Amino acid sequence: MHPQIIILALCVGLLGKTAADNDCSAKWICNRDDKCVRIHKDPQNLHTYNSQSVCRLVCGRYGALWPRPTGHTLIGQTLFSFNPRDLKFNISEASVGTVNYLQAISNIFITKVFNECGDDCNEARSEKHVLVRLLVHSNETEINWSTDESYRLDVITSGDQVTVRISGSTIFGVRHGLETLGQLMTADICDVGLLLVKSARIEDRPFYRHRGLLLDTSRNYIPVKDIKRTLDGMAASKFNVWHWHITDSHSFPLEIPSIPQFTIFGAYGPNLTYPPNVVSDIIAYAKLRGIRVIIEIDAPSHAGNGWNWGHKFGLGDLAVCVNKQPWRSFCIQPPCGQLNPVNSFLFGVVRDVYRHVQSLLPHSETMHMGGDEVHFGCWNSTQEIVDYMQQHGLGRDSKDFLQLWAEFHQASLRIWDEERGQDENSRRDPPVVPSKVIIFSSHLTDAGHIEKYLQKDRYIVQTWVESSDEQPTKLLDLGYELIMSTKNAWYFDHGFWGQTRYYTWKTAYDNRLPQHPGVLGGEACVWTELIDENNLDSRIWPRAAAVAERLWANPDTPSQQSTERLFRHNTRLQRLGIQPEPIAPKYCILNEGQCT
């Protein structure tokens, strides 16, 4: 077998070098406290560096890496300069799909490298040639909770040749390895070109399988370019799940060709929608960045505008209490709206929605079904629902409405399975195990009665309670799998409304999840009541990066010990066109350890 040698077409980066530490008359050293400090006289027996960013590459066990690796990490102290045009890639022979993916992520990588190099990169000279070898041990090309994302990276220098070897069980591990390689280099602000460490060995794998960011695109429409920029930041931070909360009672921007009424009645405007080709493009864009997309169609609550056309088209009320006032009597947050579970036409429409979602996703992908904050006051005020409950022997107590709520989820799951063909698969010998779907924690998932309503082999619960709440532990003890979104650390809309508090990146970083096999991982949540494309970046970053390191490495050290690495990561995010929130005065960045 002959490996392919790929020399990539390179483009000049759009961003110049940062001037944060551009005093080339000074030298920098990494001191005993793993801080990069300026000196004006070369010390004996110590490595000195021309800039803080170069010093940061090699200072401390993890240098400038974010998130920090979980395995053996060795970064050499010496560096060399090179021109990105002298980078070559060697991709081991594999399936067409694997090779195509590796070629694509190599092109993404080289574009980012040129971006780091800056405007004068064409004038850079190379001390050495760099060959990057990519080796994948399997041809698995879909990412899920069982995907092996581990990788090993070696930088080996011999004469004027530097070989970088990145190997992984899957293409996604190799992608993470390339992300790490990019963090082992920096622009040489005292010259032209890039600097890369001469030697390194890193063995790395994520601690949690689910490392997600939820973004709500219903309360405020988020343009595609802003979604993609967010995905770029997620990739740089090694997230692997984008939870797309695409619908809510406010708007329904997902275009479904078989039912155009959803966006006609539910979108904020004809150009504020996500057509199928756009959704598919976003999913493909995310996959090249190691991210799976989980689409959420919120139901039966948080469903109003977009579902309010049924009566006009002879299907009755698909949703009830839509935009009803006074809203506090019928929903948790305006505008009100809940699906009508007793309307026999509703589940035919739900089937069309699920069929469309499945057409966009890989066959093995799951779905988020929402499922929280059902307001019994809405259903209890709807005569059609009250009559149905009476006819079926149900009263109007909480337990009766819980039963109606559970029946809705059971019917929805049955439709999801049927559309995936799992009803047929279940008759095979041996039977195919149906996949799980996700719902939010709620009154229905209370540990005291969840087993009566929701099967633990079919539902994953995304909890969104405070860190002191015992419900997650109780659900884990019952055998349910969880995705955790700690409300008092990872809710990024908090601090701007009501009695909520703003949570800093340190709070996000120090939030620990239970080390239990039932915890798949967690998600930071970006609800957009007070967020749109104009403030999206600063509300997410760098706090999401703090969550990313928690989920990747589950560090046993406090946030304070990661500050300097996060300073550097914030600069990387800026290179990607992201405008993160500042986390310290410039003085504190240039004088590591002086503002503790």
Side-chain angles (χ1 to χ4, degrees):
M1 299 195 303
H2 300 286
Q4 290 181 278
I5 302 292
I6 301 172
I7 303 177
L8 300 171
L10 308 179
C11 61
V12 176
L14 300 177
L15 298 180
K17 299 170 183 176
T18 180
D21 57 342
N22 59 358
D23 180 7
C24 295
S25 64
K27 297 293 183 181
W28 296 74
I29 63 167
C30 177
N31 68 15
R32 293 179 180 179
D33 296 324
D34 294 335
K35 310 296 184 186
C36 287
V37 296
R38 279 179 285 197
I39 59 171
H40 294 280
K41 182 179 179 181
D42 287 356
Q44 293 183 347
N45 303 319
L46 284 178
H47 287 285
T48 62
Y49 305 96
N50 288 335
S51 67
Q52 183 190 38
S53 60
V54 176
C55 174
R56 175 47 44 205
L57 279 185
V58 299
C59 191
R61 178 180 176 185
Y62 303 111
L65 301 181
W66 194 281
R68 77 185 210 187
T70 58
H72 177 76
T73 303
L74 180 64
I75 302 173
Q77 297 292 299
T78 57
L79 305 99
F80 68 93
S81 61
F82 73 101
N83 187 319
R85 293 185 181 278
D86 291 325
L87 273 174
K88 293 184 179 181
F89 280 82
N90 176 301
I91 296 177
S92 61
E93 189 169 298
S95 69
V96 173
T98 297
V99 170
N100 288 344
Y101 186 92
L102 295 177
Q103 289 176 336
I105 64 174
S106 299
N107 279 296
I108 293 171
F109 171 81
I110 205 68
T111 299
K112 291 171 68 174
V113 168
F114 261 86
N115 220 17
E116 174 70 22
C117 189
D119 293 335
D120 300 326
C121 213
N122 287 332
E123 302 173 16
R125 297 182 180 179
S126 291
E127 294 179 20
K128 302 180 186 299
H129 298 282
V130 181
L131 176 65
V132 181
R133 298 182 182 274
L134 305 181
L135 175 64
V136 181
H137 301 304
S138 78
N139 287 318
E140 179 184 346
T141 57
E142 296 301 332
I143 186 169
N144 52 52
W145 287 306
S146 63
T147 299
D148 187 340
E149 298 177 77
S150 65
Y151 68 91
R152 173 171 166 171
L153 182 152
D154 292 281
V155 180
I156 304 168
T157 300
S158 178
D160 63 354
Q161 178 68 51
V162 176
T163 301
V164 179
R165 187 177 186 272
I166 301 174
S167 61
S169 295
T170 67
I171 54 178
F172 305 104
V174 172
R175 194 220 71 86
H176 296 324
L178 272 177
E179 201 71 57
T180 298
L181 176 61
Q183 296 181 4
L184 292 172
M185 60 181 68
T186 188
D188 184 356
I189 65 170
C190 296
D191 203 343
V192 177
L194 287 171
L195 294 172
L196 174 65
V197 297
K198 283 187 177 180
S199 62
R201 171 167 289 182
I202 297 170
E203 296 172 359
D204 198 9
R205 66 172 59 244
F207 189 91
Y208 288 106
R209 293 178 279 165
H210 186 108
R211 308 181 304 282
L213 180 72
L214 176 155
L215 179 59
D216 164 20
T217 64
S218 171
R219 288 174 172 86
N220 274 315
Y221 178 84
I222 305 297
V224 173
K225 64 181 178 60
D226 301 291
I227 290 175
K228 288 185 172 181
R229 188 175 66 254
T230 301
L231 290 168
D232 289 340
M234 291 176 65
S237 307
K238 297 190 176 78
F239 280 104
N240 70 346
V241 175
W242 181 46
H243 174 172
W244 193 351
H245 184 89
I246 197 169
T247 66
D248 209 289
S249 58
H250 305 70
S251 74
F252 197 114
L254 175 65
E255 285 191 20
I256 299 177
S258 62
I259 311 179
Q261 293 93 324
F262 274 118
T263 48
I264 292 172
F265 285 79
Y268 285 133
N271 297 320
L272 303 178
T273 65
Y274 303 105
N277 65 314
V278 169
V279 176
S280 296
D281 177 61
I282 290 173
I283 292 172
Y285 189 92
K287 183 177 178 180
L288 285 175
R289 286 149 183 85
I291 301 167
R292 59 192 283 211
V293 177
I294 295 179
I295 292 176
E296 178 190 349
I297 304 296
D298 209 347
S301 189
H302 293 282
N305 294 290
W307 291 93
N308 52 339
W309 49 269
H311 195 79
K312 184 175 182 179
F313 287 82
L315 300 182
D317 291 325
L318 300 174
V320 293
C321 306
V322 179
N323 302 325
K324 195 170 183 179
Q325 294 287 349
W327 66 265
R328 288 177 179 83
S329 300
F330 308 106
C331 59
I332 303 298
Q333 175 195 45
C336 294
Q338 290 182 183
L339 295 185
N340 181 1
V342 307
N343 182 340
S344 59
F345 293 108
L346 172 67
F347 292 103
V349 176
V350 169
R351 184 180 296 276
D352 285 340
V353 174
Y354 288 0
R355 182 181 297 136
H356 177 67
V357 170
Q358 288 182 15
S359 73
L360 300 170
L361 297 171
H363 180 70
S364 61
E365 190 53 88
T366 188
M367 178 184 174
H368 201 300
M369 293 186 172
D372 67 335
E373 296 189 325
V374 169
H375 197 293
F376 295 161
C378 170
W379 282 348
N380 199 29
S381 68
T382 304
Q383 193 62 46
E384 182 183 357
I385 294 175
V386 171
D387 291 344
Y388 173 92
M389 295 178 73
Q390 183 177 8
Q391 294 164 10
H392 289 76
L394 296 174
R396 297 169 74 173
D397 293 333
S398 292
K399 62 180 179 60
D400 301 301
F401 286 109
L402 284 172
Q403 181 62 39
L404 186 65
W405 187 355
E407 289 175 359
F408 171 84
H409 281 303
Q410 292 160 7
S412 297
L413 181 59
R414 185 165 55 251
I415 291 169
W416 177 260
D417 286 349
E418 290 170 356
E419 288 303 310
R420 292 191 64 192
Q422 289 185 343
D423 57 331
E424 178 182 344
N425 290 340
S426 65
R427 294 191 291 269
R428 295 182 184 177
D429 187 20
V432 175
V433 178
S435 65
K436 293 184 177 183
V437 295
I438 310 169
I439 61 168
F440 280 118
S441 60
S442 65
H443 293 310
L444 190 65
T445 68
D446 186 278
H449 55 235
I450 185 175
E451 292 177 296
K452 178 181 177 182
Y453 301 120
L454 302 170
Q455 312 100 291
K456 64 191 68 176
D457 62 336
R458 297 307 315 278
Y459 289 95
I460 295 165
V461 181
Q462 181 171 356
T463 60
W464 55 285
V465 296
E466 295 192 352
S467 54
S468 60
D469 199 299
E470 296 180 353
Q471 281 299 312
T473 300
K474 292 179 179 179
L475 291 173
L476 290 169
D477 289 342
L478 290 174
Y480 287 87
E481 289 186 314
L482 304 185
I483 296 164
M484 299 185 67
S485 296
T486 310
K487 194 174 184 179
N488 58 329
W490 292 355
Y491 261 46
F492 291 171
D493 62 309
H494 280 197
F496 301 94
W497 58 271
Q499 301 300 311
T500 58
R501 277 186 54 207
Y502 178 88
Y503 311 116
T504 68
W505 75 267
K506 292 181 180 179
T507 300
Y509 189 98
D510 292 330
N511 176 54
R512 299 194 178 193
L513 307 184
Q515 294 191 31
H516 187 288
V519 178
L520 297 177
E523 288 184 0
C525 296
V526 184
W527 303 106
T528 59
E529 288 92 340
L530 300 176
I531 299 173
D532 62 12
E533 68 270 25
N534 297 298
N535 63 348
L536 181 69
D537 290 0
S538 61
R539 293 288 176 87
I540 296 177
W541 306 105
R543 293 187 293 169
V547 176
E549 178 150 306
R550 169 58 55 196
L551 293 171
W552 180 276
N554 195 32
D556 56 4
T557 52
S559 55
Q560 190 64 42
Q561 294 187 23
S562 64
T563 302
E564 288 74 31
R565 289 187 297 109
L566 187 58
F567 286 157
R568 179 65 180 99
H569 194 61
N570 238 17
T571 302
R572 288 192 202 103
L573 296 173
Q574 292 166 358
R575 294 287 192 195
L576 295 171
I578 293 168
Q579 298 181 31
E581 181 180 57
I583 55 178
K586 181 73 73 176
Y587 173 89
C588 300
I589 296 173
L590 293 176
N591 295 273
E592 294 183 0
Q594 295 302 304
C595 299
T596 302

